[in-house]
Amino acid sequence: MDWVMNRLLQLMSLLMLLTACGNGADEASDDDETQRAPVTVSVDDFSMTVETFAPRRVKQTAASYSGVKAITLAFYDDNNTEVYKSTQLRADNTGYITFGEFSCSLPIGSYTMVVLGYGSERAMTLTGKNDATFTNDRVRETFVYSQAVNIINTSVVNLSATLSRVVAQLAVYSTDHRPASATQVRMSFSAGGAGVNPVTGLATTSSGFSNTVPISTKVGATTGSGSFLFLNSDEQTMTVTVDVLNEAGNVLFTRVISDVPLRRNRVTNLRGSLYSSASSSFTLESSWLDEVNISF
């Protein structure tokens, strides 16, 4: 009987030893999986080719260019799963020390880094590395940057991002005077969209959309209204409908302009009689200029 008891005690000791070794292996594996590298990202400049986007004529940094009111940084793994995202609002400096500088940590692995700089005080919605949209807001001036990032160990990784403007702009100028009833201008585009792929800088849709902006010029004066949009290619020609609205949103006057050329990082100007029911003809300058001007 003593021999049997001794044998049972030996087996129990062996079992406890094996169990302890197994737990140690699991813990080591978990430690490997949770090793993280500290990462800093500096949005240090804007490649705006600003000489073609009047009136901004000088290259500017993220901190100095007031046209960018927010910056969003995100990292996505190979499955397009978000592993980190942070937004800095220029007007709210409680969450950052220097506007455009971020610090985070990432597990060892491969990622796509996406950076967005934009002229809205509301954070853009990122549903993945290929889809960003403005939430409850019209399209604003937008800059993007993306790159592949490989974290191979726990050493510090320092990254920088130079943002490039990817919007086109349409500006509508009246040669006649604003009546008191006219309070808004709606610009409807037959192509392009309100969402952007941060990796390509191109629109995520091609069905077109509308932007409505208030008229800020006083009654009795000529007016100017602008709208940004994302294109499906670097250059795109489309039909633009310009509606003048009253305060209730009813259409007062309409202009339909065909074959309007738009280009990323360029301004296309429409000029003509806006506050009239009379029909108009349109003249198009066919060559690309710093600003493309169309008279109507």
Side-chain angles (χ1 to χ4, degrees):
M1 180 63 93
D2 291 340
W3 178 85
V4 173
M5 291 296 296
N6 289 335
R7 186 60 176 166
L8 286 173
L9 290 172
Q10 290 175 356
L11 289 174
M12 290 176 65
S13 298
L14 179 60
L15 181 60
M16 291 174 64
L17 178 62
L18 290 174
T19 301
C21 291
N23 288 339
D26 289 342
E27 290 173 2
S29 175
D30 289 342
D31 288 341
D32 290 340
E33 291 177 1
T34 57
Q35 285 184 327
R36 305 176 71 90
V39 178
T40 64
V41 180
S42 176
V43 185
D44 55 8
D45 218 338
F46 291 97
S47 178
M48 294 193 289
T49 57
V50 293
E51 67 276 4
T52 61
F53 217 81
R56 305 178 186 99
R57 300 290 180 185
V58 295
K59 202 172 187 182
Q60 301 187 52
T61 64
S64 66
Y65 179 47
S66 60
V68 169
K69 302 182 184 303
I71 298 176
T72 296
L73 167 71
F75 288 90
Y76 296 90
D77 65 16
D78 291 339
N79 296 318
N80 199 25
T81 299
E82 179 185 292
V83 295
Y84 175 85
K85 183 171 68 177
S86 178
T87 295
Q88 294 180 357
L89 302 178
R90 182 186 293 275
D92 180 8
N93 61 1
T94 59
Y96 63 88
I97 297 175
T98 301
F99 187 61
E101 292 186 2
F102 296 79
S103 296
C104 64
S105 65
L106 295 174
I108 293 173
S110 299
Y111 305 95
T112 298
M113 179 178 77
V114 168
V115 186
L116 292 158
Y118 44 96
S120 173
E121 294 180 351
R122 300 176 181 175
M124 292 185 74
T125 298
L126 271 170
T127 56
K129 64 183 179 182
N130 303 115
D131 193 358
T133 56
F134 286 94
T135 304
N136 299 322
D137 201 0
R138 63 180 185 270
V139 175
R140 305 282 184 155
E141 190 171 13
T142 306
F143 301 80
V144 302
Y145 178 83
S146 68
Q147 74 170 70
V149 176
N150 293 315
I151 305 297
I152 59 176
N153 54 44
T154 58
S155 300
V156 175
V157 177
N158 296 309
L159 303 170
S160 63
T162 298
L163 300 176
S164 297
R165 183 192 280 116
V166 291
V167 287
Q169 184 179 21
L170 178 74
V172 180
Y173 296 98
S174 73
T175 54
D176 52 0
H177 304 290
R178 173 196 170 188
S181 57
T183 62
Q184 305 171 83
V185 173
R186 180 174 63 209
M187 287 155 275
S188 300
F189 304 92
S190 64
V196 65
N197 181 330
V199 175
T200 65
L202 300 177
T204 53
T205 60
S206 59
S207 56
F209 76 110
S210 296
N211 263 344
T212 301
V213 297
I215 301 173
S216 57
T217 310
K218 65 181 182 180
V219 173
T222 57
T223 64
S225 302
S227 178
F228 294 107
L229 74 155
F230 300 112
L231 304 180
N232 300 112
S233 58
D234 193 51
E235 300 178 17
Q236 200 164 5
T237 299
M238 65 185 70
T239 298
V240 175
T241 301
V242 181
D243 294 312
V244 178
L245 311 176
N246 63 15
E247 190 172 356
N250 300 317
V251 176
L252 302 176
F253 311 103
T254 297
R255 293 285 182 269
V256 179
I257 307 98
S258 302
D259 301 323
V260 177
L262 294 162
R263 185 176 179 180
R264 291 197 298 175
N265 202 30
R266 295 291 192 276
V267 183
T268 297
N269 294 322
L270 300 180
R271 299 180 187 272
S273 174
L274 192 61
Y275 305 110
S276 169
S277 298
S279 59
S280 304
S281 58
F282 308 97
T283 302
L284 168 65
E285 292 184 5
S286 59
S287 59
W288 282 112
L289 304 174
D290 284 353
E291 295 182 351
V292 180
N293 296 281
I294 302 172
S295 299
F296 62 92

